[in-house]
Amino acid sequence: MSSLSEVVVPNIGSKLQPQEALVALFDDFLRLREYSMLLAAPLSEEDCVVQSMPDASPIKWHLAHTTWFFETFVLARFEPQFSAFNSAYRYLFNSYYDAVGERHPRAQRGLLTRPAMSEVRRYRAEVEQRLQAIVLGPDYPAEGVELLQLGMQHEQQHQELMLTDIKHLLSCNPLKPDYLPGTLIGLSVASELCWHQFDASVAEIGYRPAFDGEFCFDNELPLHRQFVEPFAIASRLVSNGEYLRFVEQGGYADPAFWLAAGWDWRCSNNFVHPLYWQSAEEGEWQEFTLHGMQRLDPDAAVLHLSYFEADAYARWVGARLPTEAEWELAARSVSGLRRDWFGVAWQWTSSSYAPYPGYAIAPGAVGEYNGKFMVNQYVLRGASGATPEGHARMSYRNFFPATACWQYSGIRLAQSL
Ligand SMILES: [Fe+2]
């Protein structure tokens, strides 16, 4: 997060916050923190330590890192006589903030058998208590509110990552464990696919406080215009059943549908179907879910696709992925924040993750939140079933490298008219 001055925060008209607004904000903060612990509750202590791949982090690390964020960017700044809970955590739980200093290598987070989970729980509780004292104490400044809100949005992002990382971890276990019965399965998109058509227009793209809620990240700013050629966009996501035809009719065997880098990625990883699919001997397809192995539901949205797979499928059906401007223009016109646009799968766009015209990175460590990642990644729009309640909005820009497939990422097709 950067450009904190541009972040819209409610009730900031004066230097000091009305006490009731701060009490309500802190209640939200505590509920949000509790949700992180609820996500960890079905897991064993061992589940919380292991790192299944460099891109995924152990649950214990997520719980500590989100706390480190509040300690570093709020407590250290605003608490009189601040002293660190444990000075080693500055190194252990810094994710990527160069301005904060050296950090433990990302790929080795799974080696952190210490501190123990019990110590991380103590860390969380102490930071929450100390935050309460300053946030609800005298003269907590507006800038502190902005940073607290940023930390809350940051923890929500990690809550989604906790679910995607748990899923990946459990999928690596031959026992194919059940994380929680009934979790995140059966998100049906079965309905007739129709195309929403749009004439050429100058679209306003970016965060609009009146429509998009009280908060945005800096990468959603500033609001700007983009010319959009005539296009059509699908009324729903691509389903498992539709994607299965691509799989069974040789989509993964024909380089004609793939970007060159995508074909290299497919071949070197030997992908012949989506990440969590499994072809059974009797010919019944199965899919690993947070509820263990399940029969592949043809009516559910296809999930966990890389950009390369999404792009190849779109070519195979004679369509393409939408640009993010097309996606946002359409979502604002037709979605009404309905499920399918928000709440099933993040939707790959063909737009590179780049700054909007006029984007500015704020000085200091929090300026490293988004801006420095604006290269070699693609934008995903919408939100998934793993996205925490209240975290999605029309202008939200998620981003991942083209190879990432462990996120809840799917396809909404588009075509030029
Ligand atoms: Fe983080």
Side-chain angles (χ1 to χ4, degrees):
M1 178 76 232
S2 60
S3 288
L4 284 171
S5 59
E6 293 180 294
V7 173
V8 177
V9 178
N11 304 314
I12 294 185
S14 60
K15 183 165 174 278
L16 301 184
Q17 299 301 302
Q19 193 63 14
E20 313 82 65
L22 287 173
V23 169
L25 177 64
F26 203 79
D27 277 353
D28 289 347
F29 164 81
L30 289 178
R31 263 199 307 278
L32 188 148
R33 295 277 291 176
E34 193 180 350
Y35 181 59
S36 298
M37 295 311 295
L38 282 174
L39 289 175
L43 301 172
S44 69
E45 301 252 322
E46 293 87 345
D47 288 334
C48 293
V49 176
V50 176
Q51 181 172 26
S52 58
M53 63 170 170
D55 282 341
S57 298
I59 297 308
K60 184 173 72 175
W61 189 90
H62 283 296
L63 294 172
H65 162 72
T66 46
T67 305
W68 168 88
F69 192 97
F70 286 112
E71 184 187 37
T72 304
F73 297 121
V74 184
L75 271 190
R77 179 94 174 269
F78 300 106
E79 186 181 52
Q81 286 98 43
F82 168 82
S83 70
F85 175 86
N86 181 329
S87 57
Y89 289 6
R90 189 177 173 90
Y91 174 83
L92 288 183
F93 299 124
N94 177 5
S95 52
Y96 54 65
Y97 295 86
D98 290 320
V100 174
E102 294 289 307
R103 56 191 176 269
H104 184 68
R106 178 176 181 149
Q108 294 175 24
R109 291 173 184 168
L111 300 180
L112 298 176
T113 55
R114 310 291 177 91
M117 265 296 276
S118 55
E119 194 65 5
V120 169
R121 284 193 198 93
R122 218 167 63 75
Y123 179 41
R124 289 180 66 87
E126 181 176 313
V127 167
E128 286 163 13
Q129 271 175 11
R130 287 165 60 180
L131 279 170
Q132 181 162 16
I134 61 166
V135 173
L136 301 184
D139 299 340
Y140 188 62
E143 193 184 357
V145 172
E146 293 185 353
L147 286 164
L148 186 73
Q149 288 201 314
L150 177 64
M152 291 164 66
Q153 297 283 329
H154 170 254
E155 184 142 354
Q156 285 187 311
Q157 292 183 314
H158 277 274
Q159 287 167 349
E160 175 147 5
L161 291 172
M162 285 170 73
L163 285 170
T164 57
D165 295 357
I166 289 166
K167 185 169 182 176
H168 189 265
L169 172 70
L170 297 181
S171 78
C172 298
N173 189 320
L175 300 175
K176 302 295 179 197
D178 199 340
Y179 164 67
L180 203 58
T183 312
L184 289 181
I185 55 169
L187 298 170
S188 176
V189 294
S191 63
E192 193 186 343
L193 189 152
C194 57
W195 294 90
H196 300 297
Q197 298 196 3
F198 291 83
D199 294 332
S201 67
V202 176
E204 284 213 309
I205 302 299
Y207 174 63
R208 304 184 203 179
F211 300 101
D212 296 335
E214 296 164 345
F215 177 91
C216 76
F217 288 112
D218 64 337
N219 61 7
E220 299 160 55
L221 295 168
L223 187 66
H224 64 285
R225 289 163 297 174
Q226 285 192 35
F227 180 73
V228 180
E229 297 284 357
F231 72 101
I233 194 163
S235 59
R236 64 161 172 80
L237 303 181
V238 172
S239 69
N240 279 330
E242 290 165 333
Y243 197 87
L244 181 59
R245 284 200 285 280
F246 173 65
V247 172
E248 293 189 328
Q249 293 177 22
Y252 280 78
D254 189 344
F257 303 114
W258 295 75
L259 291 163
W263 185 248
D264 289 346
W265 169 83
R266 191 214 73 73
C267 293
S268 56
N269 292 283
N270 202 26
F271 274 112
V272 291
H273 53 68
L275 175 64
Y276 294 127
W277 286 21
Q278 193 174 92
S279 176
E281 286 138 34
E282 293 80 32
E284 183 181 69
W285 286 85
Q286 293 200 311
E287 177 179 29
F288 183 73
T289 72
L290 285 171
H291 191 18
M293 291 304 296
Q294 299 285 320
R295 186 183 65 84
L296 187 71
D297 177 356
D299 293 334
V302 62
L303 298 171
H304 300 293
L305 299 180
S306 67
Y307 176 87
F308 292 136
E309 290 167 300
D311 177 76
Y313 175 82
R315 286 166 201 262
W316 183 73
V317 295
R320 61 171 172 80
L321 300 177
T323 66
E324 63 170 324
E326 289 169 342
W327 192 98
E328 185 171 329
L329 174 62
R332 290 189 187 281
S333 305
V334 303
S335 86
L337 282 174
R338 282 201 303 265
R339 201 165 182 85
D340 192 43
W341 288 80
F342 297 86
V344 177
W346 290 99
Q347 297 141 60
W348 285 108
T349 74
S350 61
S351 299
S352 293
Y353 181 47
Y356 285 162
Y359 172 77
I361 294 182
V366 291
E368 297 185 50
Y369 200 108
N370 278 315
K372 71 180 188 179
F373 299 109
M374 291 176 171
V375 67
N376 295 337
Q377 312 213 52
Y378 283 87
V379 173
L380 299 98
R381 290 303 202 101
S384 83
T387 309
E389 190 74 29
H391 191 67
R393 60 188 161 271
M394 297 279 185
S395 55
Y396 200 106
R397 306 175 81 198
N398 200 351
F399 52 91
F400 278 97
T403 54
C405 51
W406 91 111
Q407 295 301 303
Y408 284 82
S409 44
I411 310 172
R412 181 182 301 279
L413 294 170
Q415 51 185 314
S416 299
L417 297 178

